[in-house]
mmCIF file of all heavy atoms in Angstrom:
data_model
loop_
_atom_site.group_PDB
_atom_site.id
_atom_site.type_symbol
_atom_site.label_atom_id
_atom_site.label_comp_id
_atom_site.label_asym_id
_atom_site.label_seq_id
_atom_site.Cartn_x
_atom_site.Cartn_y
_atom_site.Cartn_z
ATOM 1 N N ASN E 24 11.758 -6.320 28.829
ATOM 2 C CA ASN E 24 12.249 -5.664 27.610
ATOM 3 C C ASN E 24 12.236 -6.615 26.419
ATOM 4 O O ASN E 24 12.035 -6.168 25.285
ATOM 5 C CB ASN E 24 13.667 -5.123 27.838
ATOM 6 C CG ASN E 24 13.684 -3.946 28.798
ATOM 7 O OD1 ASN E 24 12.700 -3.232 28.959
ATOM 8 N ND2 ASN E 24 14.849 -3.711 29.433
ATOM 9 N N LEU E 25 12.444 -7.890 26.688
ATOM 10 C CA LEU E 25 12.456 -8.867 25.607
ATOM 11 C C LEU E 25 11.086 -9.057 24.971
ATOM 12 O O LEU E 25 10.985 -9.406 23.781
ATOM 13 C CB LEU E 25 12.970 -10.228 26.128
ATOM 14 C CG LEU E 25 14.446 -10.314 26.504
ATOM 15 C CD1 LEU E 25 14.754 -11.690 27.084
ATOM 16 C CD2 LEU E 25 15.337 -10.041 25.312
ATOM 17 N N VAL E 26 10.025 -8.862 25.746
ATOM 18 C CA VAL E 26 8.669 -9.140 25.238
ATOM 19 C C VAL E 26 7.808 -7.899 25.150
ATOM 20 O O VAL E 26 6.653 -7.975 24.732
ATOM 21 C CB VAL E 26 7.957 -10.185 26.130
ATOM 22 C CG1 VAL E 26 8.766 -11.502 26.154
ATOM 23 C CG2 VAL E 26 7.733 -9.667 27.538
ATOM 24 N N GLU E 27 8.316 -6.738 25.546
ATOM 25 C CA GLU E 27 7.499 -5.524 25.573
ATOM 26 C C GLU E 27 6.873 -5.206 24.222
ATOM 27 O O GLU E 27 5.719 -4.758 24.134
ATOM 28 C CB GLU E 27 8.342 -4.338 26.052
ATOM 29 C CG GLU E 27 7.515 -3.081 26.260
ATOM 30 C CD GLU E 27 8.325 -1.949 26.874
ATOM 31 O OE1 GLU E 27 9.565 -2.056 26.906
ATOM 32 O OE2 GLU E 27 7.733 -0.963 27.331
ATOM 33 N N GLY E 28 7.587 -5.480 23.149
ATOM 34 C CA GLY E 28 7.061 -5.223 21.825
ATOM 35 C C GLY E 28 5.852 -6.084 21.460
ATOM 36 O O GLY E 28 5.108 -5.774 20.540
ATOM 37 N N LYS E 29 5.656 -7.171 22.225
ATOM 38 C CA LYS E 29 4.537 -8.076 21.985
ATOM 39 C C LYS E 29 3.465 -7.952 23.075
ATOM 40 O O LYS E 29 2.600 -8.838 23.186
ATOM 41 C CB LYS E 29 5.045 -9.525 21.953
ATOM 42 C CG LYS E 29 6.043 -9.836 20.845
ATOM 43 C CD LYS E 29 5.351 -9.873 19.499
ATOM 44 C CE LYS E 29 6.302 -10.313 18.396
ATOM 45 N NZ LYS E 29 5.649 -10.361 17.071
ATOM 46 N N LYS E 30 3.506 -6.883 23.854
ATOM 47 C CA LYS E 30 2.615 -6.782 25.013
ATOM 48 C C LYS E 30 1.139 -6.813 24.632
ATOM 49 O O LYS E 30 0.304 -7.353 25.395
ATOM 50 C CB LYS E 30 2.963 -5.570 25.863
ATOM 51 C CG LYS E 30 2.741 -4.231 25.190
ATOM 52 C CD LYS E 30 3.165 -3.115 26.115
ATOM 53 C CE LYS E 30 2.985 -1.741 25.460
ATOM 54 N NZ LYS E 30 3.443 -0.643 26.351
ATOM 55 N N ASN E 31 0.785 -6.212 23.497
ATOM 56 C CA ASN E 31 -0.618 -6.252 23.077
ATOM 57 C C ASN E 31 -1.078 -7.675 22.814
ATOM 58 O O ASN E 31 -2.167 -8.077 23.240
ATOM 59 C CB ASN E 31 -0.817 -5.423 21.809
ATOM 60 C CG ASN E 31 -0.640 -3.933 22.047
ATOM 61 O OD1 ASN E 31 -0.264 -3.502 23.126
ATOM 62 N ND2 ASN E 31 -0.912 -3.137 21.028
ATOM 63 N N HIS E 32 -0.229 -8.432 22.149
ATOM 64 C CA HIS E 32 -0.550 -9.830 21.837
ATOM 65 C C HIS E 32 -0.613 -10.663 23.122
ATOM 66 O O HIS E 32 -1.528 -11.478 23.297
ATOM 67 C CB HIS E 32 0.510 -10.409 20.900
ATOM 68 C CG HIS E 32 0.212 -11.809 20.444
ATOM 69 N ND1 HIS E 32 -0.699 -12.101 19.474
ATOM 70 C CD2 HIS E 32 0.714 -13.006 20.870
ATOM 71 C CE1 HIS E 32 -0.771 -13.408 19.297
ATOM 72 N NE2 HIS E 32 0.097 -13.988 20.128
ATOM 73 N N ILE E 33 0.330 -10.422 24.028
ATOM 74 C CA ILE E 33 0.337 -11.153 25.304
ATOM 75 C C ILE E 33 -0.916 -10.828 26.129
ATOM 76 O O ILE E 33 -1.523 -11.710 26.734
ATOM 77 C CB ILE E 33 1.610 -10.818 26.114
ATOM 78 C CG1 ILE E 33 2.871 -11.279 25.376
ATOM 79 C CG2 ILE E 33 1.554 -11.454 27.504
ATOM 80 C CD1 ILE E 33 4.168 -10.809 26.006
ATOM 81 N N ALA E 34 -1.295 -9.560 26.112
ATOM 82 C CA ALA E 34 -2.479 -9.147 26.867
ATOM 83 C C ALA E 34 -3.718 -9.874 26.365
ATOM 84 O O ALA E 34 -4.540 -10.363 27.165
ATOM 85 C CB ALA E 34 -2.679 -7.638 26.734
ATOM 86 N N CYS E 35 -3.851 -9.990 25.053
ATOM 87 C CA CYS E 35 -5.002 -10.683 24.473
ATOM 88 C C CYS E 35 -4.931 -12.174 24.781
ATOM 89 O O CYS E 35 -5.965 -12.816 25.037
ATOM 90 C CB CYS E 35 -5.073 -10.447 22.971
ATOM 91 S SG CYS E 35 -5.519 -8.752 22.512
ATOM 92 N N ASP E 36 -3.725 -12.743 24.768
ATOM 93 C CA ASP E 36 -3.549 -14.165 25.127
ATOM 94 C C ASP E 36 -4.027 -14.406 26.552
ATOM 95 O O ASP E 36 -4.685 -15.407 26.828
ATOM 96 C CB ASP E 36 -2.089 -14.571 25.004
ATOM 97 C CG ASP E 36 -1.656 -14.789 23.549
ATOM 98 O OD1 ASP E 36 -2.538 -14.837 22.668
ATOM 99 O OD2 ASP E 36 -0.434 -14.899 23.316
ATOM 100 N N ILE E 37 -3.651 -13.505 27.448
ATOM 101 C CA ILE E 37 -4.035 -13.659 28.865
ATOM 102 C C ILE E 37 -5.549 -13.621 29.009
ATOM 103 O O ILE E 37 -6.134 -14.486 29.673
ATOM 104 C CB ILE E 37 -3.392 -12.525 29.718
ATOM 105 C CG1 ILE E 37 -1.873 -12.723 29.801
ATOM 106 C CG2 ILE E 37 -3.986 -12.535 31.132
ATOM 107 C CD1 ILE E 37 -1.154 -11.574 30.488
ATOM 108 N N TYR E 38 -6.183 -12.655 28.386
ATOM 109 C CA TYR E 38 -7.658 -12.557 28.537
ATOM 110 C C TYR E 38 -8.381 -13.712 27.862
ATOM 111 O O TYR E 38 -9.387 -14.195 28.382
ATOM 112 C CB TYR E 38 -8.135 -11.200 27.993
ATOM 113 C CG TYR E 38 -8.454 -10.248 29.094
ATOM 114 C CD1 TYR E 38 -7.452 -9.801 29.965
ATOM 115 C CD2 TYR E 38 -9.758 -9.824 29.355
ATOM 116 C CE1 TYR E 38 -7.742 -8.937 31.013
ATOM 117 C CE2 TYR E 38 -10.047 -8.965 30.389
ATOM 118 C CZ TYR E 38 -9.034 -8.528 31.217
ATOM 119 O OH TYR E 38 -9.335 -7.688 32.266
ATOM 120 N N GLU E 39 -7.877 -14.161 26.740
ATOM 121 C CA GLU E 39 -8.524 -15.303 26.096
ATOM 122 C C GLU E 39 -8.403 -16.532 26.987
ATOM 123 O O GLU E 39 -9.370 -17.318 27.120
ATOM 124 C CB GLU E 39 -7.897 -15.578 24.725
ATOM 125 C CG GLU E 39 -8.586 -16.711 23.980
ATOM 126 C CD GLU E 39 -8.118 -16.836 22.529
ATOM 127 O OE1 GLU E 39 -7.625 -15.839 21.984
ATOM 128 O OE2 GLU E 39 -8.246 -17.936 21.963
ATOM 129 N N MET E 40 -7.251 -16.725 27.603
ATOM 130 C CA MET E 40 -7.072 -17.864 28.490
ATOM 131 C C MET E 40 -7.956 -17.753 29.721
ATOM 132 O O MET E 40 -8.525 -18.744 30.206
ATOM 133 C CB MET E 40 -5.609 -17.975 28.912
ATOM 134 C CG MET E 40 -5.298 -19.223 29.720
ATOM 135 S SD MET E 40 -3.543 -19.397 30.094
ATOM 136 C CE MET E 40 -3.584 -20.929 31.031
ATOM 137 N N ILE E 41 -8.119 -16.527 30.229
ATOM 138 C CA ILE E 41 -8.991 -16.306 31.392
ATOM 139 C C ILE E 41 -10.408 -16.749 31.059
ATOM 140 O O ILE E 41 -11.063 -17.456 31.842
ATOM 141 C CB ILE E 41 -8.978 -14.829 31.813
ATOM 142 C CG1 ILE E 41 -7.645 -14.468 32.469
ATOM 143 C CG2 ILE E 41 -10.131 -14.521 32.772
ATOM 144 C CD1 ILE E 41 -7.437 -13.000 32.713
ATOM 145 N N PHE E 42 -10.915 -16.352 29.888
ATOM 146 C CA PHE E 42 -12.279 -16.704 29.514
ATOM 147 C C PHE E 42 -12.419 -18.196 29.250
ATOM 148 O O PHE E 42 -13.478 -18.773 29.458
ATOM 149 C CB PHE E 42 -12.702 -15.909 28.276
ATOM 150 C CG PHE E 42 -12.872 -14.437 28.546
ATOM 151 C CD1 PHE E 42 -12.378 -13.496 27.668
ATOM 152 C CD2 PHE E 42 -13.517 -13.993 29.690
ATOM 153 C CE1 PHE E 42 -12.543 -12.133 27.908
ATOM 154 C CE2 PHE E 42 -13.684 -12.644 29.940
ATOM 155 C CZ PHE E 42 -13.197 -11.709 29.047
ATOM 156 N N ASN E 43 -11.329 -18.839 28.773
ATOM 157 C CA ASN E 43 -11.376 -20.277 28.541
ATOM 158 C C ASN E 43 -11.389 -21.038 29.870
ATOM 159 O O ASN E 43 -12.108 -22.039 30.020
ATOM 160 C CB ASN E 43 -10.177 -20.744 27.699
ATOM 161 C CG ASN E 43 -10.286 -20.317 26.244
ATOM 162 O OD1 ASN E 43 -11.374 -20.054 25.757
ATOM 163 N ND2 ASN E 43 -9.159 -20.227 25.556
ATOM 164 N N GLN E 44 -10.576 -20.576 30.814
ATOM 165 C CA GLN E 44 -10.483 -21.249 32.106
ATOM 166 C C GLN E 44 -11.661 -20.906 33.026
ATOM 167 O O GLN E 44 -12.021 -21.714 33.883
ATOM 168 C CB GLN E 44 -9.176 -20.821 32.797
ATOM 169 C CG GLN E 44 -7.920 -21.259 32.087
ATOM 170 C CD GLN E 44 -7.766 -22.759 32.037
ATOM 171 O OE1 GLN E 44 -7.981 -23.451 33.044
ATOM 172 N NE2 GLN E 44 -7.407 -23.288 30.862
ATOM 173 N N CYS E 45 -12.231 -19.745 32.823
ATOM 174 C CA CYS E 45 -13.287 -19.262 33.731
ATOM 175 C C CYS E 45 -14.380 -18.583 32.912
ATOM 176 O O CYS E 45 -14.504 -17.349 32.929
ATOM 177 C CB CYS E 45 -12.675 -18.290 34.734
ATOM 178 S SG CYS E 45 -13.689 -17.864 36.122
ATOM 179 N N PRO E 46 -15.185 -19.347 32.182
ATOM 180 C CA PRO E 46 -16.210 -18.774 31.305
ATOM 181 C C PRO E 46 -17.192 -17.819 31.989
ATOM 182 O O PRO E 46 -17.683 -16.860 31.364
ATOM 183 C CB PRO E 46 -16.948 -20.005 30.769
ATOM 184 C CG PRO E 46 -15.954 -21.113 30.885
ATOM 185 C CD PRO E 46 -15.174 -20.816 32.132
ATOM 186 N N GLU E 47 -17.453 -18.054 33.282
ATOM 187 C CA GLU E 47 -18.377 -17.193 33.990
ATOM 188 C C GLU E 47 -17.895 -15.761 34.134
ATOM 189 O O GLU E 47 -18.669 -14.844 34.402
ATOM 190 C CB GLU E 47 -18.717 -17.775 35.380
ATOM 191 C CG GLU E 47 -17.535 -17.942 36.320
ATOM 192 C CD GLU E 47 -16.840 -19.293 36.226
ATOM 193 O OE1 GLU E 47 -16.858 -19.878 35.128
ATOM 194 O OE2 GLU E 47 -16.298 -19.747 37.232
ATOM 195 N N ALA E 48 -16.590 -15.553 33.942
ATOM 196 C CA ALA E 48 -16.020 -14.200 34.029
ATOM 197 C C ALA E 48 -16.496 -13.318 32.861
ATOM 198 O O ALA E 48 -16.371 -12.091 32.920
ATOM 199 C CB ALA E 48 -14.498 -14.256 34.049
ATOM 200 N N ARG E 49 -17.058 -13.953 31.829
ATOM 201 C CA ARG E 49 -17.540 -13.169 30.676
ATOM 202 C C ARG E 49 -18.621 -12.195 31.055
ATOM 203 O O ARG E 49 -18.765 -11.139 30.415
ATOM 204 C CB ARG E 49 -18.061 -14.117 29.599
ATOM 205 C CG ARG E 49 -17.036 -15.085 29.056
ATOM 206 C CD ARG E 49 -17.657 -16.001 28.022
ATOM 207 N NE ARG E 49 -16.732 -17.048 27.583
ATOM 208 C CZ ARG E 49 -17.003 -17.937 26.653
ATOM 209 N NH1 ARG E 49 -18.189 -17.922 26.054
ATOM 210 N NH2 ARG E 49 -16.107 -18.853 26.335
ATOM 211 N N ARG E 50 -19.391 -12.501 32.077
ATOM 212 C CA ARG E 50 -20.495 -11.609 32.450
ATOM 213 C C ARG E 50 -20.019 -10.268 32.978
ATOM 214 O O ARG E 50 -20.809 -9.338 33.093
ATOM 215 C CB ARG E 50 -21.384 -12.297 33.488
ATOM 216 C CG ARG E 50 -20.687 -12.671 34.780
ATOM 217 C CD ARG E 50 -21.628 -13.418 35.715
ATOM 218 N NE ARG E 50 -20.929 -13.906 36.882
ATOM 219 C CZ ARG E 50 -21.522 -14.535 37.886
ATOM 220 N NH1 ARG E 50 -22.825 -14.759 37.837
ATOM 221 N NH2 ARG E 50 -20.839 -14.962 38.935
ATOM 222 N N LEU E 51 -18.726 -10.180 33.294
ATOM 223 C CA LEU E 51 -18.162 -8.904 33.721
ATOM 224 C C LEU E 51 -18.026 -7.935 32.551
ATOM 225 O O LEU E 51 -17.901 -6.725 32.737
ATOM 226 C CB LEU E 51 -16.782 -9.116 34.343
ATOM 227 C CG LEU E 51 -16.735 -9.904 35.679
ATOM 228 C CD1 LEU E 51 -15.275 -10.194 36.017
ATOM 229 C CD2 LEU E 51 -17.402 -9.105 36.790
ATOM 230 N N PHE E 52 -18.055 -8.489 31.332
ATOM 231 C CA PHE E 52 -17.812 -7.670 30.147
ATOM 232 C C PHE E 52 -18.929 -7.911 29.112
ATOM 233 O O PHE E 52 -18.730 -8.599 28.108
ATOM 234 C CB PHE E 52 -16.449 -8.028 29.526
ATOM 235 C CG PHE E 52 -15.332 -8.051 30.523
ATOM 236 C CD1 PHE E 52 -14.864 -9.260 31.060
ATOM 237 C CD2 PHE E 52 -14.750 -6.870 30.962
ATOM 238 C CE1 PHE E 52 -13.841 -9.286 31.975
ATOM 239 C CE2 PHE E 52 -13.710 -6.879 31.885
ATOM 240 C CZ PHE E 52 -13.262 -8.094 32.402
ATOM 241 N N PRO E 53 -20.103 -7.388 29.363
ATOM 242 C CA PRO E 53 -21.251 -7.649 28.491
ATOM 243 C C PRO E 53 -21.090 -7.145 27.057
ATOM 244 O O PRO E 53 -21.791 -7.599 26.162
ATOM 245 C CB PRO E 53 -22.409 -6.909 29.205
ATOM 246 C CG PRO E 53 -21.725 -5.859 30.022
ATOM 247 C CD PRO E 53 -20.443 -6.499 30.484
ATOM 248 N N LYS E 54 -20.146 -6.216 26.845
ATOM 249 C CA LYS E 54 -19.972 -5.653 25.496
ATOM 250 C C LYS E 54 -19.027 -6.484 24.624
ATOM 251 O O LYS E 54 -18.886 -6.209 23.435
ATOM 252 C CB LYS E 54 -19.461 -4.216 25.595
ATOM 253 C CG LYS E 54 -20.434 -3.246 26.229
ATOM 254 C CD LYS E 54 -19.866 -1.837 26.244
ATOM 255 C CE LYS E 54 -20.835 -0.862 26.900
ATOM 256 N NZ LYS E 54 -20.309 0.533 26.914
ATOM 257 N N LEU E 55 -18.377 -7.462 25.233
ATOM 258 C CA LEU E 55 -17.447 -8.277 24.455
ATOM 259 C C LEU E 55 -18.189 -9.184 23.499
ATOM 260 O O LEU E 55 -19.272 -9.686 23.821
ATOM 261 C CB LEU E 55 -16.565 -9.121 25.391
ATOM 262 C CG LEU E 55 -15.589 -8.385 26.306
ATOM 263 C CD1 LEU E 55 -14.665 -9.395 26.980
ATOM 264 C CD2 LEU E 55 -14.765 -7.364 25.551
ATOM 265 N N LYS E 56 -17.606 -9.427 22.349
ATOM 266 C CA LYS E 56 -18.198 -10.317 21.354
ATOM 267 C C LYS E 56 -17.412 -11.628 21.322
ATOM 268 O O LYS E 56 -16.183 -11.617 21.419
ATOM 269 C CB LYS E 56 -18.184 -9.662 19.971
ATOM 270 C CG LYS E 56 -19.048 -8.409 19.879
ATOM 271 C CD LYS E 56 -18.992 -7.833 18.473
ATOM 272 C CE LYS E 56 -19.871 -6.577 18.371
ATOM 273 N NZ LYS E 56 -19.817 -5.978 17.014
ATOM 274 N N PHE E 57 -18.156 -12.719 21.215
ATOM 275 C CA PHE E 57 -17.510 -14.028 21.162
ATOM 276 C C PHE E 57 -17.875 -14.744 19.866
ATOM 277 O O PHE E 57 -19.012 -14.638 19.380
ATOM 278 C CB PHE E 57 -17.945 -14.885 22.356
ATOM 279 C CG PHE E 57 -17.340 -14.429 23.662
ATOM 280 C CD1 PHE E 57 -17.907 -13.408 24.383
ATOM 281 C CD2 PHE E 57 -16.174 -15.019 24.132
ATOM 282 C CE1 PHE E 57 -17.351 -12.972 25.576
ATOM 283 C CE2 PHE E 57 -15.603 -14.599 25.326
ATOM 284 C CZ PHE E 57 -16.183 -13.554 26.039
#
Side-chain angles (χ1 to χ4, degrees):
N24 290 337
L25 290 176
V26 301
E27 187 174 13
K29 298 288 186 180
K30 65 182 179 182
N31 291 6
H32 184 78
I33 296 172
C35 290
D36 283 348
I37 291 173
Y38 256 64
E39 183 170 337
M40 186 176 181
I41 288 171
F42 291 136
N43 288 337
Q44 296 295 315
C45 192
E47 60 270 30
R49 298 179 187 182
R50 60 184 174 177
L51 294 171
F52 312 100
K54 295 182 180 180
L55 294 189
K56 295 181 180 180
F57 288 84

